[in-house]
């Protein structure tokens, strides 16, 4: 799809995004026991509780995404050309940090409630949607197609998780 050089640049940019995602995931692991405790004693306002308990991870994701986006745009004009493609890629991919964190808050809550089948359905749906969109879109819009695909997958996962919470859908475990 991208060619050898563009694939390399994409991988470099994606590694920087993944570094931010790993920091957020670490915070989310630290927040998880408190989330489990809070959700054990309530069955109402799960989404609100989940957001409040995981606010540090969400805040870190938001600021990481914004800082990488704005920072890459600010340094782009002053860096050597050899780095410009990788920095541009970071700028284009940075929204994925925020959308991924929003989805993870809800998915983590499903896991904390013991709703593993629902969490698996949501996660697999995110993957399927992102893959389906990322197949044709990069041919049309370049690297931005991957961001659009991932953010779209996260959006569908968020909507699905909220729907499963609100409707109280029962799914039999395997």
């Amino acid at each position: 799809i991208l060619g050898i050089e563009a694939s390399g640049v994409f991988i470099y940019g994606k590694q920087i995004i993944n570094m931010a995602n790993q920091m957020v995931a670490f915070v989310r692991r630290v927040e998880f026991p408190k989330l489990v405790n809070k959700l054990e004693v309530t069955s109402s306002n799960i989404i609100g509780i989940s957001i409040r308990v995981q606010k540090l991870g969400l805040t870190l994701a938001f600021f990481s995404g914004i800082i990488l986006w704005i920072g890459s745009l600010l340094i782009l004009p002053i860096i050597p050309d050899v780095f410009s493609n990788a920095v541009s890629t970071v700028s284009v991919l940075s929204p994925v940090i925020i959308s991924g964190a929003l989805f993870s808050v809800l998915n983590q809550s499903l896991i904390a409630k013991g709703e593993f089948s629902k969490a698996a359905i949501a996660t697999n749906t995110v993957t399927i949607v992102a893959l389906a969109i990322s197949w044709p879109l990069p041919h049309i819009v370049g690297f931005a197609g991957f961001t659009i695909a991932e953010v779209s997958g996260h959006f569908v996962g968020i909507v699905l998780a909220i729907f499963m919470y609100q409707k109280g859908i029962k799914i039999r475990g395997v």
Side-chain angles (χ1 to χ4, degrees):
I1 291 175
L2 299 175
I4 294 172
E5 184 178 336
S7 294
V9 167
F10 176 78
I11 289 169
Y12 292 144
K14 189 67 173 160
Q15 286 176 330
I16 293 168
I17 300 303
N18 287 341
M19 175 193 64
N21 283 332
Q22 287 298 316
M23 290 187 312
V24 173
F26 173 77
V27 171
R28 184 139 299 120
R29 285 181 193 98
V30 172
E31 294 170 327
F32 188 71
K34 184 177 179 182
L35 180 63
V36 170
N37 290 336
K38 290 279 189 184
L39 294 179
E40 278 179 344
V41 296
T42 186
S43 60
S44 63
N45 195 20
I46 293 171
I47 295 169
I49 291 168
S50 299
I51 290 169
R52 279 192 299 279
V53 171
Q54 298 179 84
K55 68 183 170 197
L56 181 60
L58 271 176
T59 302
L60 178 61
F62 178 77
F63 282 113
S64 296
I66 295 296
I67 288 168
L68 284 172
W69 178 59
I70 292 172
S72 60
L73 290 176
L74 289 174
I75 68 168
L76 196 56
I78 60 173
I79 61 170
D81 285 344
V82 70
F83 296 113
S84 65
N85 287 339
V87 171
S88 295
T89 302
V90 169
S91 176
V92 169
L93 292 172
S94 61
V96 169
I97 300 167
I98 299 167
S99 66
L102 290 169
F103 169 70
S104 294
V105 161
L106 297 176
N107 206 45
Q108 180 101 328
S109 300
L110 288 169
I111 293 167
K113 289 288 285 181
E115 299 282 0
F116 304 111
S117 294
K118 290 179 183 179
I121 288 169
T123 300
N124 288 332
T125 301
V126 167
T127 303
I128 291 166
V129 169
L131 281 172
I133 294 171
S134 69
W135 186 257
L137 212 51
H139 293 290
I140 301 165
V141 296
F143 286 142
F146 292 113
T147 300
I148 294 166
E150 253 188 284
V151 170
S152 297
H154 292 147
F155 177 76
V156 169
I158 289 165
V159 170
L160 180 60
I162 290 170
F163 180 77
M164 287 191 283
Y165 275 128
Q166 290 179 342
K167 298 298 180 186
I169 295 173
K170 303 289 183 210
I171 299 172
R172 291 186 193 171
V174 182

